[in-house]
Amino acid sequence: MGATVKASPANFAADNGENGAGKVSVLNLAQNHDVHHQNAHTRGDPTMFGAYWEKMSEKGTITFTGAQSMSYYSNTKSICWFLEPELEREIRRLHGVVGNTVEEEHYVVVGTGSSQLIQAALYALSPPDADLPVNVVCAAPYYSSYPEVADIVRSRSYKWGGDARSYDRDEPYIELVTTPNNPDGAIREPVVNKPQGTVIHDLAYYWPNYTAISSAANHDLMLFTFSKCTGHAGSRIGWALVRDKEVAKKMIKYMEVSTIGVSKDSQLRAAKILGVVSDSCCSHGAEEGFEDEDEEEDFFSFSRNILKERWQRLSQLVKASNLFTLQKYPTQYCRFAKDMTDTLPAFAWIRMTSNEGGMDCAELLKEQRILARSGTRFGVDNKFARVSMVSTDQEFNTFLQRLAIIQGTNPIYI
Amino acid sequence: MGATVKASPANFAADNGENGAGKVSVLNLAQNHDVHHQNAHTRGDPTMFGAYWEKMSEKGTITFTGAQSMSYYSNTKSICWFLEPELEREIRRLHGVVGNTVEEEHYVVVGTGSSQLIQAALYALSPPDADLPVNVVCAAPYYSSYPEVADIVRSRSYKWGGDARSYDRDEPYIELVTTPNNPDGAIREPVVNKPQGTVIHDLAYYWPNYTAISSAANHDLMLFTFSKCTGHAGSRIGWALVRDKEVAKKMIKYMEVSTIGVSKDSQLRAAKILGVVSDSCCSHGAEEGFEDEDEEEDFFSFSRNILKERWQRLSQLVKASNLFTLQKYPTQYCRFAKDMTDTLPAFAWIRMTSNEGGMDCAELLKEQRILARSGTRFGVDNKFARVSMVSTDQEFNTFLQRLAIIQGTNPIYI
């Protein structure tokens, strides 16, 4: 954890003026000269989506009067008594519109971001009085926070068990399957497949701006997060779709003890924003083929277009030298887009073509003040590093400029 | 935990029409006939304060546009990078206005309610690699959630250690000191006082609506919560004032891993509401002695007046029979009110005068559908029970009506 490291909150360290390339576009970044903090969990700050919400600012506006939403309770008729009915409705509606999951037979459990729901799920899926902790595993490269999330409280019920690909014990385990995967955008399935195991599907990135929606996911326990869906990371809203009622009840119990529910203000705001996303898709779908310049673009197409352009620019730049390579992603049929679409992950998983002498990819990037996260944090080799693709335009442009310098590439490729 | 108990979310079970006394005023409660859930943590839903916020609804209003507060980050210059600067300002301002704590030399750490901050504090104060868990203790009667909060994750770093008064081991411990205390409203100090210990002061109720502010609390680690201060329980905002930077940093680290920060929407709303409270006190203070009927009452005086009347009615009713007794509370000089003030706890701690045959006070109350929490939940005898004093007027009136029936008291005393 970089709690004491001086660094910028974005992917890029502040430009200190020594380098011509960054001068023009790092004005805002330069304000961060004296920041004290770099939180390793949040480098994927999805600020890119802000452009859509600026455009839709009025539709996405919500007002709270002083007397509103004061009680602990949201819905005493639901097993998830702290879940705002409006949020549940909009969650189910959006999944219906997008077609990324089957939700009809699942309970919705709301959490303070999906991090809290992972913990709730570990609590719910671990035997309550086991002598030995259950192993929590995930195939490498895995989301860098999983080991810490599993181990921070030193539970006797569960502990981090490492790379799922090398898990060969005949003991109870919980496998985390992130699909599309963070950091590398791969579509995944469970790899352990033993009878003693349960699986948590983290579907944070299973939205049509990032990947083709190839089928409606229908797993026992699926996690989603508002942050990655619409970009509203500051609201800290996540949700789980849980098939088994007893598992859902245990997760709810964890949320009760841990935080006595989840911010109502953020739940209601999330309901509003998800509603705007659904509306944007529906008004579009209803008039298919109708093209009017004034017509508002649906959220996912808007985001896709930005991401697509960014991926094209990055790919072109990387191809211009032999220093790095990027993952290759398939083009697949997307149920939502009703067309073949590209995979456009929220992160670039950059690999050094050669790292003779064990040179660290993230270190190399850092020399040009590109703050990437090293592959070692994701359980793999240091020739890999992860960089966010969903930062602001300014930050993304600075990233490309600095990468071009490292590559010694002609600026024409930026 | 009553996760599967059919009951009302308020202090009182729904009236089923068999009982005349409740008929008139339990219309809303009757809607809860079929609720599935009673969350044991939240029976003190402070809905009473809603009356003030109805009056001040406009001043307390806040609007969020679609594009606002999207980033994970609130203040990259602060060690608590997810703390909204506006909230920090209003927290410090309100403590200054009320005079209930010295905050100048403390770090502010924001949490998803104070429950999460208790866990963050246990994490921060426990040795990171101890072989034996630290004992978490509190003098009985203690807040009924503490044992569960300490034990839910089965940590190897800390565990519930029971009543602080009987703690006599020479091992590391963490003592929770809730003052004024939940459930009994008593002013408390640490009771173990051994060199191996650290203390967490839970000051949720140290506000002038509940108790006299006799001095500015100046402890190493103090917890406060928006819920009990202004009544906005649904926003799930709490804050810790922490003297030691390393302890603050560990708590922040816990919040990062646990929930990657705290809802910005609720933080900004809390800032707004706390600001209205400070304003209401200051405009009053500035014109001391000036009485204008149009002048708005400050929040604490308004709440005090309602609580005072409720306590008077309850005391009068209880005195009318010999069945129950209430705690006696001192009248003390309050720095905020600049006058002698009564202690008016958020809960009534009711004791059966006699419980021959071990009769359970909460059971007796339950017979008239008064949902009290038994003394056994707070680590003491079942002749005690706790009832909320901060519910809605309707709920409070129903409580008194039903209590009168149990006592066989003449309705004149209600």
Side-chain angles (χ1 to χ4, degrees), chain B residues 26 35 180 185 203 256 274 358:
Chain B
V26 289
V35 294
L203 304 183
E256 282 173 19
L274 295 182

Side-chain angles (χ1 to χ4, degrees), chain A residues 1 3-4 8-10 31-32 34-47 49-50 53-54 56-58 60-73 76-79 81 112-113 115-117 119 123 127-131 143 145 148-150 152-159 226-228 230-236 249 252-254 256-267 269-270 273, chain B residues 1 3-4 8-10 31-32 34-47 49-50 53-54 56-58 60-73 75-79 81 112-113 115-117 119 123 127-131 143 145 148-150 152-159 226-228 230-236 249 252-254 256-267 269 273:
Chain A
M1 278 297 302
T4 56
S8 143
Q31 294 171 357
N32 293 315
D34 54 348
V35 295
H36 299 303
H37 192 86
Q38 170 65 44
N39 171 19
H41 291 273
T42 54
R43 284 204 206 146
D45 208 9
T47 40
F49 302 111
W53 296 111
E54 287 292 349
M56 300 290 271
S57 213
E58 205 175 319
T61 293
I62 190 166
T63 295
F64 297 96
T65 68
Q68 216 174 316
S69 302
M70 291 185 66
S71 164
Y72 286 102
Y73 292 90
T76 53
K77 297 192 181 185
S78 164
I79 59 163
W81 56 268
T112 311
S115 315
Q116 193 184 22
L117 290 166
Q119 291 155 79
Y123 169 79
D129 46 10
D131 288 336
Y143 175 37
S145 293
E148 215 164 28
V149 164
I152 186 160
V153 293
R154 302 179 73 220
S155 175
R156 280 178 286 125
S157 296
Y158 50 82
K159 69 168 172 62
F226 190 37
S227 316
K228 306 307 176 190
T230 69
H232 292 81
S235 294
R236 312 307 313 119
K249 279 164 73 176
I252 290 160
K253 160 87 183 218
Y254 177 87
E256 281 173 20
V257 177
S258 159
T259 51
I260 321 186
V262 174
S263 161
K264 280 189 175 184
D265 313 317
S266 286
Q267 285 191 64
R269 191 168 174 219
I273 296 288
Chain B
M1 278 301 305
T4 56
S8 144
Q31 294 172 357
N32 294 315
D34 55 346
V35 294
H36 301 302
H37 190 87
Q38 170 64 42
N39 170 18
H41 291 271
T42 55
R43 285 209 202 142
D45 208 10
T47 40
F49 302 112
W53 296 110
E54 287 292 348
M56 300 289 271
S57 213
E58 205 174 318
T61 292
I62 189 165
T63 296
F64 297 96
T65 67
Q68 217 175 316
S69 302
M70 291 184 66
S71 163
Y72 286 101
Y73 292 89
N75 184 0
T76 52
K77 298 194 181 187
S78 163
I79 58 165
W81 56 269
T112 311
S115 315
Q116 192 184 23
L117 290 166
Q119 291 155 79
Y123 168 78
D129 47 10
D131 289 335
Y143 174 38
S145 293
E148 215 163 27
V149 164
I152 186 158
V153 293
R154 302 179 71 223
S155 175
R156 281 178 287 126
S157 296
Y158 49 83
K159 70 169 173 59
F226 190 37
S227 316
K228 306 306 176 191
T230 69
H232 292 80
S235 295
R236 312 305 314 119
K249 279 163 72 176
I252 291 160
K253 159 86 184 219
Y254 178 87
E256 282 173 19
V257 177
S258 159
T259 52
I260 321 186
V262 174
S263 160
K264 280 189 176 184
D265 313 317
S266 286
Q267 286 192 63
R269 189 168 176 221
I273 296 288

Side-chain angles (χ1 to χ4, degrees), chain A residues 283-345:
Chain A
S283 70
H284 224 67
E287 299 176 275
E288 222 174 326
F290 178 74
E291 280 186 39
D292 178 346
E293 282 189 19
D294 290 340
E295 196 189 0
E296 280 146 1
E297 205 172 6
D298 78 84
F299 170 75
F300 296 114
S301 304
F302 179 94
S303 316
R304 260 199 100 67
N305 289 340
I306 300 177
L307 263 172
K308 188 164 183 163
E309 197 217 333
R310 288 188 178 187
W311 271 102
Q312 279 165 347
R313 290 171 67 202
L314 176 63
S315 302
Q316 194 182 6
L317 177 62
V318 165
K319 272 184 204 154
S321 102
N322 281 328
L323 201 55
F324 303 107
T325 54
L326 296 170
Q327 290 284 111
K328 294 221 185 319
Y329 298 104
T331 296
Q332 279 188 293
Y333 184 78
C334 175
R335 289 158 51 99
F336 173 76
K338 296 188 180 62
D339 206 347
M340 299 299 283
T341 63
D342 298 324
T343 305
L344 304 165

Side-chain angles (χ1 to χ4, degrees), chain B residues 12-284:
Chain B
F12 318 104
D15 195 292
N16 58 12
E18 287 165 25
N19 189 307
K23 264 185 184 162
V24 180
S25 58
V26 289
L27 290 175
N28 285 337
L29 295 173
Q31 294 172 357
N32 294 315
H33 256 304
D34 55 346
V35 294
H36 301 302
H37 190 87
Q38 170 64 42
N39 170 18
H41 291 271
T42 55
R43 285 209 202 142
D45 208 10
T47 40
M48 179 193 96
F49 302 112
Y52 187 82
W53 296 110
E54 287 292 348
K55 229 175 57 139
M56 300 289 271
S57 213
E58 205 174 318
K59 282 195 182 175
T61 292
I62 189 165
T63 296
F64 297 96
T65 67
Q68 217 175 316
S69 302
M70 291 184 66
S71 163
Y72 286 101
Y73 292 89
S74 292
N75 184 0
T76 52
K77 298 194 181 187
S78 163
I79 58 165
C80 193
W81 56 269
F82 50 80
L83 168 60
E84 287 289 317
E86 215 169 311
L87 178 60
E88 177 167 4
R89 244 187 335 267
E90 292 297 350
I91 285 170
R92 293 192 187 275
R93 179 173 161 228
L94 183 60
H95 283 307
V97 166
V98 169
N100 59 343
T101 183
V102 172
E103 44 68 36
E104 292 87 348
E105 293 173 5
H106 288 70
Y107 295 92
V108 176
V109 181
V110 66
T112 311
S114 64
S115 315
Q116 192 184 23
L117 290 166
I118 293 173
Q119 291 155 79
L122 296 182
Y123 168 78
L125 298 175
S126 305
D129 47 10
D131 289 335
L132 285 174
V134 171
N135 291 289
V136 180
V137 298
C138 183
Y142 42 71
Y143 174 38
S144 49
S145 293
Y146 287 156
E148 215 163 27
V149 164
D151 280 345
I152 186 158
V153 293
R154 302 179 71 223
S155 175
R156 281 178 287 126
S157 296
Y158 49 83
K159 70 169 173 59
W160 177 243
D163 189 351
R165 291 189 215 278
S166 53
Y167 187 77
D168 56 6
R169 296 186 223 168
D170 285 323
E171 288 167 15
Y173 70 92
I174 297 169
E175 181 173 351
L176 290 157
V177 176
T178 315
T179 179
N181 191 39
N182 174 359
D184 67 356
I187 298 300
R188 291 188 151 190
E189 294 193 339
V191 302
V192 183
N193 299 313
K194 292 192 178 210
Q196 304 93 329
T198 47
V199 178
I200 299 169
H201 278 84
D202 187 341
L203 304 183
Y205 301 97
Y206 196 44
W207 295 103
N209 35 354
Y210 302 116
T211 196
I213 304 303
S214 55
S215 68
N218 186 11
H219 308 291
D220 289 346
L221 203 166
M222 301 180 278
L223 303 179
F224 291 91
T225 165
F226 190 37
S227 316
K228 306 306 176 191
C229 174
T230 69
H232 292 80
S235 295
R236 312 305 314 119
I237 293 292
W239 64 94
L241 299 179
V242 187
R243 197 190 313 271
D244 185 81
K245 190 174 185 176
E246 292 310 309
V247 172
K249 279 163 72 176
K250 281 187 200 160
M251 289 179 70
I252 291 160
K253 159 86 184 219
Y254 178 87
M255 309 296 297
E256 282 173 19
V257 177
S258 159
T259 52
I260 321 186
V262 174
S263 160
K264 280 189 176 184
D265 313 317
S266 286
Q267 286 192 63
L268 292 171
R269 189 168 176 221
K272 181 85 183 185
I273 296 288
L274 295 182
V276 173
V277 172
S278 287
D279 288 348
S280 79
C281 299
C282 293
S283 69
H284 224 69

